[in-house]
Amino acid sequence: MKKSLFSLLLLCIAIGIKAQISANGNWYNGSLVFTAKNMPGGRIVMNATAEGEEIEFALTPVQGKKDSYRVTDGPNGGFNIYEKIQTVRHRKQGGLDALCFYDSKGLLQAVMSNEREDDAVALNKSRWLSQVAGEYHGIDMDSEGILIIYGPDEKYHKGKLSINGQLVGYEIETFNGNVTGYIRINGTATMLDCAVETGSMWELVPTLDDLRLYETKANGDDTYFFDRKRNGMSFYLPWYDDENSDGRFAYANKVLLNDKRFRSFDKPTLRIMRNSILAHHGYQFKSSDLKEYFMDKVWYAPRATNDGINEELSLIEQLNIELIKAEEENPEHDNYIKQ
């Protein structure tokens, strides 16, 4: 009788965990799509494939702590990319179902979101595009250059750029499924009296104030993006922040930044990016530099009090603040951006 009750208890635990962490859909970590398999006792095994190698780890419930798990190696000997993670928390709010990976210091190091899409490349492209989309204006001598990059949700302009009002096709370059930050132009247009031609490949580098475009040339083998050099034209196009703009980092209030492409920004920019999330809720800043920066933005409307703002933050906003904060505290960050 005791054995039957024990088996029933294990079954209930397994069913409960299955309801919490879905084995349906796909778990996206900003680069790879994982599938989840529920195991006896509530253990969940996550699997993905990268460059032909099996990526695998398991989540084991922490006794006495709801929605809390520890990471262990998977049963098939696959590579565990989260072996240094201390705790995993399962969080759900407003349509976002997320697994949050914390290190021994309690800093958020990674997030997996439950997605319908099973194509990691498509998700990678969409995530990157949402972060570079916008309108950029540049002036050189007597010429003006206007570049508009459309977001992934603007279906009418999918796969198109607007260069001085002319729609031009482009392809996002990837390497082993990951976005490289390069695009290949499929059309001809003029930017600041310079011809942007079909087949040219451009590196896009976002900064706090502008988008930098570098034409690249093949250095022998044209197979890989890292075989190319910045030895063509270059443009520095400032972000166009007019009365219709939601701000340079408005995407951080809407898009989960689990791809961590923000690592390319220096720490002062990360600080502005993190506080921009709060600024969109009217947060009143005490620091003089932040107050001065955001008061200059037409979209910023400070409140009389900050009461209640934390409760208004969506789960996406909360997690993005944690991810950015963890990178600000990363002692290896400066070494990373020099690479």
Side-chain angles (χ1 to χ4, degrees), residues 60-77:
T60 302
V62 176
Q63 188 174 3
K65 292 187 178 181
K66 183 181 179 182
D67 295 328
S68 184
Y69 306 85
R70 59 185 178 88
V71 176
T72 58
D73 292 339
N76 302 312

Side-chain angles (χ1 to χ4, degrees), residues 77-139:
F79 181 59
N80 180 4
I81 61 176
Y82 296 119
E83 61 181 359
K84 295 183 180 180
I85 290 299
Q86 184 76 16
T87 305
V88 178
R89 289 181 57 200
H90 182 214
R91 301 171 66 177
K92 294 180 69 174
Q93 178 188 317
L96 177 61
D97 191 352
L99 296 172
C100 307
F101 295 72
Y102 293 88
D103 65 12
S104 59
K105 296 180 180 179
L107 296 174
L108 183 60
Q109 297 299 319
V111 179
M112 297 177 71
S113 56
N114 192 220
E115 305 282 348
R116 296 181 181 179
E117 178 68 68
D118 63 356
D119 185 346
V121 177
L123 287 168
N124 293 342
K125 289 181 178 180
S126 176
R127 192 62 48 90
W128 176 76
L129 191 57
S130 67
Q131 297 173 57
V132 297
E135 187 169 336
Y136 305 88
H137 290 203
I139 299 176

Side-chain angles (χ1 to χ4, degrees), residues 314-330:
S314 69
L315 182 54
I316 285 178
E317 292 170 325
Q318 295 172 45
L319 295 179
N320 285 345
I321 288 174
E322 289 187 57
L323 285 168
I324 298 169
K325 182 64 175 177
E327 190 61 34
E328 289 179 84
E329 298 188 23
N330 179 7

Side-chain angles (χ1 to χ4, degrees), residues 196-267:
V196 178
E197 299 180 345
T198 295
S200 60
M201 186 181 288
W202 296 77
E203 180 183 3
L204 275 61
V205 180
T207 72
L208 172 61
D209 300 311
D210 57 30
L211 182 69
R212 301 181 181 187
L213 290 81
Y214 301 97
E215 186 182 17
T216 64
K217 303 290 185 180
N219 184 22
D221 186 2
D222 191 22
T223 302
Y224 302 119
F225 72 97
F226 47 73
D227 287 324
R228 305 183 69 89
K229 303 296 181 182
R230 297 176 181 175
N231 56 4
M233 294 181 289
S234 62
F235 304 115
Y236 287 19
L237 301 176
W239 166 264
Y240 188 57
D241 201 3
D242 67 357
E243 65 275 7
N244 297 315
S245 169
D246 290 328
R248 181 70 180 91
F249 298 123
Y251 58 80
N253 292 78
K254 306 170 186 176
V255 179
L256 181 63
L257 303 179
N258 58 344
D259 63 347
K260 299 190 79 171
R261 298 194 70 90
F262 56 76
R263 292 184 70 190
S264 62
F265 295 120
D266 59 24
K267 287 188 178 181

